Each structure stands twice: as C-alpha cells, then as structure tokens.
C-alpha cells in the first residue's frame, strides 16, 4: 500500500513512522493561559477545498491535544469544493468576540477566492497577533497574498509552484517536501498532504509518541516529509481524458455517499473529493430524513435527499485515510477507467499505482 505521506516507509510490522522534518514545525506555548492551543480552521462560505478543510479539523479534533473550531467568513452554508456543504461553528466576527487574543494556530485551506480581502485581512491579523498560519495546498496563495511568505521558505501544490515562483520571487519555493515550516508559517504540497501535516502539528504540540499513536488509530503508516514533486504532472493523455469526461455531460452522475451522525469526516472528505475530481461525477452526502448531521467530531454537514436522474452509491470505504483513497481510486478505475483514476490522483498529488493495490 502506498504511504499517504508520499514516501517509501521503512517501517515494518505494526510500526508507525513519525515525521522526519528538514524544516521542523516549532510551536510556542498556548497563549491567554490556555491549557491547549486554540486552532481555527478557516473557510470562505463562497468556496473552500473539501479535504483541506475537513481533514485537519478531523485529525486535530481526534488528537485531543487542541481545541479546534471551524470559522467561516459569514453565517450559513459553507460551499466546499469540489463537493459537500457544511456549517462552521462561528463566523470570523463571532470568533474575534469570543477570543480577543486570537488563535494559536490557523488552518488556511485553498479557497475559490484567494484574494478575498476579508480573508486576507483576518489571516494577517491572526499572524500579527502571534498565531502560526498553516496553508494547506493552494491555501499557500492566501498566505502569499497576505504578505506572510516574504523572505521565507515555502512549498505548494505541484501545479502551482512555477506560477508561485514567478509571482513571489522573494520566497524560496521548495520541492520534494510534503510540508515545510519557516517561523510562524507552515505550507504543504497537494490536497493529500492534509493528513501528514495535521499529524506533524500534533507531534509539535505534544510529542512524537502522541502523534504516532494517533497515526496508528487513523491507519496512517507514515507522516514524514519526503515527496517527489516531479512525479506529478498532467500528461497529454490526462488532459485528453479530462476533456473527454467533461464533454460527456450525458454520462455525468451523482455519487451518493450515505451519512449519519458520527460519520468519519476524514474518510468522507477524501472519498467525496476523489469522486468529484473525475469530471464524470459529483459526490454528495445523502440521508433519507435529516437535512444535517454531525460528524464524529462535531462538524455540521448538510445532506441531500433529492432524487437524481443519474446516481451511483459506491461500496463503503475503510475508516482509514490511506485505505479510503486507495479504495476510492480503485473504484473509480473500475467504474470509469484507470486513466480517470490516475487523473484524480494527480490532482490530489497522491502517489497511486493500481498495480500496487491489494
């Protein structure tokens, strides 16, 4: 099985490898006399990346070493991209009233509008107040636009790195590291880096033993930083498959993911994200009766029980991030074709080879 952190693991038996960071995450003690660091997972209601948002929330809440809340730009529904809808615990305004000292850590996912002035101002405000800002995947654009990466070391999604280097030459852009830290900022590569960096945060807050134990509970074999950026690129065949799938609108379908209270938000996010990147389907959380449910760690997820003209309900996936991604990609290959599954893996920056699957 391919390691979720994107590196070859030397672990054997039941071992779990901790992070091996060239650019280590170092966090100050919690502020405002807090017993645990306060983590704000930020979302723009108009569009926030599904896995970037839900996975750090789920992993950090599962750790019990932080107090984590979700924070949105406004009240009501947060539209996640490419799938799912949620409701945050607080708006930015409510968070600021409740926590005058600010957050200790702010998670910044990729957003549909990375130049949203409200988001940029709030992230900068939190940084100036002393928070560590963690940009997940293309959340790095928000950190860069907020001026947080000048004269710093950072990384990003493989597709964005060249453009980031051109627009922000004062930042040293690093390849081949799943996540890097420089002072108060942490940045990651693609979507699938959300699990490893979340575990690395747990390690920085508590210790390696705590992070390794959590990784074992999540079924993650390795959360190190090793990565091969050059392994990810859109080939001509990938582009052709994306175009063919997109143009075949008559074959497009809904992927129904039945949910109920206590659903694992980490595996739900990964499955929904993967299915919704095929250009053939869009995933939705479904429930026969309820319009909202609460995930295992309290996230309010909106559900859909409308009838769809074309829909498919895949077999449930295992409650492990690695197994979920591998099983979902295999299911995509079986339902559509291997090229479509490979296209999804490239978008997620996830090393996947169908020949290596069980």
């Amino acid at each position: 099985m391919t390691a979720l952190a994107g590196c070859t693991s030397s672990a054997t038996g039941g071992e779990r490898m901790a992070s091996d960071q060239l650019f280590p995450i170092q966090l100050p003690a919690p502020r405002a006399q807090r017993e645990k660091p306060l983590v704000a997972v930020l979302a723009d209601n108009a569009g926030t990346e599904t896995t970037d948002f839900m996975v750090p929330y789920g992993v950090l809440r599962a750790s019990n070493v932080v107090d984590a809340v979700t924070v949105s730009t406004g009240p009501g529904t947060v539209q996640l991209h490419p799938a799912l809808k949620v409701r945050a615990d607080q708006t930015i305004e409510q968070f600021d009233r409740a926590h005058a000292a600010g957050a200790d850590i702010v998670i910044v996912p990729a957003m549909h509008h990375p130049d949203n002035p409200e988001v940029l101002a709030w992230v900068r405000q939190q940084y100036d107040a002393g928070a560590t800002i963690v940009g997940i995947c293309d959340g790095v654009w928000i950190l860069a636009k907020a001026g947080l990466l000048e004269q710093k070391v950072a990384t990003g999604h493989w597709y964005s790195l060249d453009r980031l280097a051109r627009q922000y030459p004062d930042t040293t852009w690093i390849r081949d590291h799943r996540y890097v830290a420089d002072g108060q900022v942490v940045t990651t590569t693609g979507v699938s880096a959300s699990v490893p960096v979340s575990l690395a945060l747990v390690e920085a807050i508590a210790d390696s033993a705590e992070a390794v134990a959590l990784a074992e509970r999540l079924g993650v074999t390795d959360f190190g930083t090793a990565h091969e950026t050059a392994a990810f690129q859109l080939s001509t065949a990938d582009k052709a498959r994306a175009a063919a799938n997109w143009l075949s609108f008559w074959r497009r379908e809904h992927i129904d993911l039945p949910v109920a209270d206590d659903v694992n938000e980490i595996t739900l996010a990964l499955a929904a994200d993967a299915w919704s990147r095929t250009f053939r389907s869009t995933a939705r959380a479904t429930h026969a009766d309820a319009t909202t449910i609460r995930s295992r760690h309290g996230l309010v997820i909106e559900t859909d029980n409308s009838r769809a003209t074309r829909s498919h309900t895949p077999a449930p996936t295992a409650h492990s991030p690695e197994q979920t991604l591998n099983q979902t990609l295999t299911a995509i290959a079986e339902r559509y074709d291997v090229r479509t599954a490979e296209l999804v893996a490239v978008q997620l920056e996830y090393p996947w080879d169908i020949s290596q699957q069980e």
Side-chain angles (χ1 to χ4, degrees):
M1 181 176 291
T2 307
L4 189 63
C7 54
T8 303
S9 171
S10 61
T12 58
E15 297 179 22
R16 293 293 185 274
M17 293 184 65
S19 64
D20 180 14
Q21 301 179 54
L22 182 61
F23 305 98
I25 298 174
Q26 297 178 330
L27 300 172
R31 293 175 297 139
Q33 289 77 52
R34 295 169 181 146
E35 293 184 5
K36 300 178 181 179
L38 175 62
V39 179
V41 185
L42 182 61
D44 184 347
N45 295 67
T48 301
E49 211 289 328
T50 306
T51 297
D52 294 356
F53 176 80
M54 291 179 65
V55 165
Y57 170 84
V59 174
L60 292 171
R61 284 292 298 267
S63 73
N64 292 318
V65 302
V66 305
D67 290 321
V69 297
T70 54
V71 182
S72 58
T73 52
T77 300
V78 173
Q79 178 63 61
L80 298 181
H81 177 81
L84 305 181
K85 297 178 182 180
V86 299
R87 298 178 192 172
D89 298 317
Q90 297 175 319
T91 64
I92 284 175
E93 182 180 354
Q94 290 169 336
F95 180 90
D96 288 345
R97 286 203 303 267
H99 307 285
D104 293 292
I105 300 170
V106 177
I107 305 295
V108 183
M111 296 182 188
H112 189 65
H113 300 290
D115 54 356
N116 182 334
E118 183 180 13
V119 169
L120 296 178
W122 192 76
V123 169
R124 181 76 210 194
Q125 169 193 319
Q126 292 295 317
Y127 176 87
D128 289 343
T132 296
I133 312 297
V134 183
I136 308 292
C137 189
D138 268 351
V140 68
W141 285 102
I142 297 168
L143 274 61
K145 290 175 184 293
L148 307 188
L149 299 182
E150 294 178 8
Q151 306 301 321
K152 290 190 178 293
V153 173
T155 192
H157 190 282
W158 69 267
Y159 187 79
S160 298
L161 278 173
D162 288 343
R163 193 153 48 101
L164 284 163
R166 289 194 300 270
Q167 292 192 30
Y168 300 98
D170 291 337
T171 301
T172 301
W173 296 100
I174 298 295
R175 297 172 185 267
D176 299 330
H177 292 274
R178 180 66 79 176
Y179 46 89
V180 301
D182 189 345
Q184 281 178 248
V185 296
V186 181
T187 51
T188 82
T189 57
V191 176
S192 63
S194 55
V195 173
V197 77
S198 299
L199 289 166
L201 287 170
V202 172
E203 183 180 39
I205 293 164
D207 53 36
S208 293
E210 187 80 31
V212 168
L214 176 58
E216 185 168 351
R217 295 200 300 273
L218 295 175
V220 177
T221 57
D222 189 344
F223 55 98
T225 63
H227 187 55
E228 188 178 353
T229 303
F232 300 93
Q233 56 185 317
L234 281 176
S235 66
T236 301
D238 290 328
K239 295 175 183 177
R241 172 53 57 200
N245 286 357
W246 178 255
L247 291 171
S248 300
F249 59 88
W250 63 91
R251 295 188 297 173
R252 210 159 293 150
E253 62 184 355
H254 290 282
I255 299 299
D256 291 343
L257 301 175
V259 297
D261 286 335
D262 197 45
V263 66
N264 186 321
E265 62 276 288
I266 300 171
T267 54
L268 173 65
L270 291 167
D273 209 328
W275 277 108
S276 299
R277 291 177 181 271
T278 62
F279 296 93
R280 285 283 305 274
S281 53
T282 300
R284 57 183 192 166
T286 61
H287 192 289
D289 302 309
T291 57
T292 63
I293 57 96
R294 282 194 177 271
S295 72
R296 180 158 301 173
H297 298 102
L299 182 63
V300 176
I301 300 171
E302 295 186 3
T303 64
D304 189 340
N305 60 5
S306 63
R307 302 190 65 171
T309 54
R310 288 181 60 86
S311 64
H312 168 65
T313 303
T317 55
H319 293 300
S320 150
E322 285 179 276
Q323 291 179 336
T324 293
L325 268 181
N326 287 325
Q327 289 175 7
T328 301
L329 290 166
T330 299
I332 289 169
E334 292 172 349
R335 185 156 184 85
Y336 303 136
D337 51 65
V338 173
R339 178 63 67 187
T340 296
E342 291 173 342
L343 173 64
V344 171
V346 167
Q347 293 176 76
L348 297 175
E349 202 162 342
Y350 179 67
W352 181 78
D353 183 348
I354 193 170
S355 67
Q356 300 300 312
Q357 307 310 308
E358 296 176 353

